[in-house]
Amino acid sequence: MTGILPSQMLRQMIGSGSIGSDQPISPGQIQPASLDLRLGTRAYRVRASFLAGRDARVSDRLPDFSMHEIDLTQGAVLEKGCVYLVPLMERLSLPKGLRAVANAKSSTGRLDLLTRTITDCGTEFDRVPDGYDGPLYAEICPRSFSVLVRPGMTLNQIRFRDGQSVLDDDALAALHQSEGLVNGDPHIDDGLGFSVDLEPRDGHLAGYRAKPHTGVIDLDRIGHYAIADFWDELRTDHGRLILDPGAFYILVSREAVTIPPRYAAEMAPYLALVGEFRVHYAGFFDPGFGHASAGGKGARGVLEVRCHEAPFALEHGQIVGRLVYEKMAEIPEQLYGREIASNYQGQGLKLAKQFA
C-alpha cells in the first residue's frame, strides 16, 4: 500500500529496527503521520550551514566547520544568529523503496527556529533517500530569539513515504466536494491555496512581529512567557501590512482547513515571484487536523513570514502558500486532536505554546 506511513506502521518500524536509537523511543514521539526527533547530548557551533555532499559523512565534514563543542546535558543556550549542528538520538535503516522527509514542528516554526535535517551523503536538506542507513542531524539557527535546549527536546519531525501518493488538482477538487476541505470556494492550483487574513473579524489584531532584542526562551516552559516581552501586536484597518526587511511575523490564513483521516498535508511555497518575502513553514498537517472526526470544526493555518530585501505590501486575501495533500497508506490508529492532544487543534492566530 502506497502513501504516508501512519502511527501503527511507525511502531512496526521501531520494532524491526528500521528506526533505531540508543535511548528507547517514547510513545509520545509517535504522531499520526510522523515521528518526533530528539536532540542528543551535544551540539557543535559551526561557522556555516553545510551539507555532507555525495559520498561523504557529516562527521567527516564537521572538522571543516566546527568552532567548538557544547555539552547540552545541563541545558545550553543556542544564540540568535548562530548556526549549530546537533546529532539526533534517532538513526534510520530504511528498506529500499521507503524514503523520508523532515520538517520543523509547529512550535519550532513559530519561534523562528530554522531547523533542518541533514544526513550522511546528503545533497538536500530535510530529504532522506530510500534505503538510507545512518545517523540523523539537526541544523539549528535561531533567527529571532535565543533559546535554551536540553537533550531529548523535539524540534523537528520526520515522515515516511512509500511510493507516490500526492493528489493532483482533479483529485483534490473531488476531495473538497466530498469533505469540504476549506470554508468557502477553494483556490486549487498545484495544491490548495492559502491566503492571508488581514481583516480580522474579532477585533483589530492581525498578527505579531518579533521584537529585535529579547531575553532567552526556555523551550520547556509552557505558557510561561508574557507575549508583550517578545512580540509587538499588529493592527490594521485597511487590509494591508507593509513588511519590514529582516523582520519576522506571525500571521494567520483566511481559510479554515480540514485534513480528513485518510490524508495528510504539507505546506509548500506558492510562487517564488509573488513578492519579496517568504513564508517559513512548520509544514506538516496531520490526519484529523481541523476535522469533525477529531473534534475539529476547521482550523486556520498559522503563517510564519519573513521579508527579504525590500519592504513589501502584503494585502488581505493574497495567496502566500499551498497545501499539498497526500494519501495515507492506512488510516492512523490515532488522530490529531483526538488520541493525540494538541495545542493547535481549532486554532486561529496563535503563538508558540511557550507564551501565555
Side-chain angles (χ1 to χ4, degrees):
M1 297 180 66
T2 61
I4 302 295
L5 301 196
S7 53
Q8 60 269 28
M9 289 185 173
L10 299 182
R11 286 191 286 269
Q12 293 171 7
M13 290 180 66
I14 294 167
S16 70
S18 295
I19 303 172
S21 175
D22 292 336
Q23 299 294 324
I25 296 174
S26 71
Q29 289 177 247
I30 302 173
Q31 305 302 320
S34 62
L35 179 77
D36 291 346
L37 300 173
R38 298 169 296 177
L39 301 182
T41 58
R42 64 191 189 280
Y44 298 91
R45 168 76 167 90
V46 293
R47 57 191 175 91
S49 171
F50 70 94
L51 290 165
R54 202 175 305 278
D55 301 323
R57 297 183 301 178
V58 173
S59 59
D60 294 334
R61 300 294 311 278
L62 188 56
D64 296 335
F65 297 95
S66 178
M67 299 171 66
H68 61 270
E69 183 175 341
I70 304 167
D71 183 1
L72 300 183
T73 53
Q74 300 301 313
V77 173
L78 305 185
E79 296 186 14
K80 172 182 172 181
C82 298
V83 184
Y84 301 87
L85 184 74
V86 182
L88 297 171
M89 292 186 181
E90 289 73 29
R91 61 173 292 122
L92 300 179
S93 182
L94 298 181
K96 285 293 183 180
L98 191 66
R99 64 192 192 280
V101 59
N103 215 316
K105 289 172 60 66
S106 294
S107 292
T108 307
R110 296 177 202 207
L111 291 171
D112 200 19
L113 284 172
L114 178 61
T115 303
R116 303 185 287 193
T117 302
I118 64 175
T119 64
D120 288 345
C121 305
T123 58
E124 295 180 284
F125 291 107
D126 288 332
R127 297 295 184 267
V128 184
D130 66 289
Y132 178 75
D133 187 357
L136 299 171
Y137 301 82
E139 178 196 278
I140 304 170
C141 179
R143 303 292 303 278
S144 291
F145 312 114
S146 296
V147 295
L148 179 64
V149 301
R150 301 177 182 85
M153 285 183 170
T154 57
L155 301 188
N156 56 348
Q157 54 194 345
I158 193 165
R159 272 184 181 170
F160 299 89
R161 290 187 170 109
D162 185 359
Q164 177 59 258
S165 58
V166 173
L167 273 63
D168 62 22
D169 285 353
D170 289 340
L172 193 57
L175 183 61
H176 173 71
Q177 287 296 320
S178 63
E179 291 280 358
L181 299 180
V182 293
N183 58 329
D185 295 328
H187 180 95
I188 296 177
D189 181 8
D190 198 21
L192 182 65
F194 248 29
S195 65
V196 64
D197 185 2
L198 294 178
E199 294 181 354
R201 290 163 292 282
D202 50 351
H204 298 288
L205 183 62
Y208 299 92
R209 179 174 52 204
K211 291 187 173 182
H213 308 291
T214 67
V216 174
I217 297 174
D218 183 339
L219 298 185
D220 274 339
R221 296 194 169 186
I222 308 303
H224 176 79
Y225 297 98
I227 292 174
D229 291 342
F230 293 84
W231 300 92
D232 291 320
E233 293 185 346
L234 301 174
R235 302 178 185 276
T236 175
D237 294 323
H238 307 292
R240 176 183 299 153
L241 177 65
I242 297 180
L243 305 177
D244 293 323
F248 178 71
Y249 299 83
I250 295 291
L251 306 174
V252 69
S253 72
R254 187 174 58 165
E255 299 82 7
V257 303
T258 65
I259 311 297
R262 197 177 289 275
Y263 298 87
E266 183 176 357
M267 270 292 247
Y270 182 62
L271 284 173
L273 301 178
V274 295
E276 290 295 324
F277 69 96
R278 172 160 173 83
V279 180
H280 171 66
Y281 309 111
F284 289 163
F285 286 66
D286 272 322
F289 178 84
H291 196 263
S293 63
K297 298 179 181 179
R300 296 200 284 167
V302 169
L303 308 174
E304 300 122 15
V305 179
R306 178 175 292 280
C307 186
H308 294 317
E309 289 83 1
F312 183 79
L314 192 62
E315 306 282 352
H316 175 73
Q318 183 170 344
I319 300 289
V320 294
R322 57 193 171 94
L323 271 183
V324 177
Y325 281 70
E326 296 186 64
K327 293 180 181 178
M328 299 292 298
E330 294 178 359
I331 294 178
E333 292 178 351
Q334 48 195 34
L335 293 180
Y336 185 94
R338 191 176 72 187
E339 290 84 3
I340 298 292
S342 167
N343 291 284
Y344 306 120
Q345 181 72 300
Q347 70 180 357
L349 177 64
K350 190 170 185 179
L351 295 171
K353 59 188 177 182
Q354 286 81 11
F355 299 101

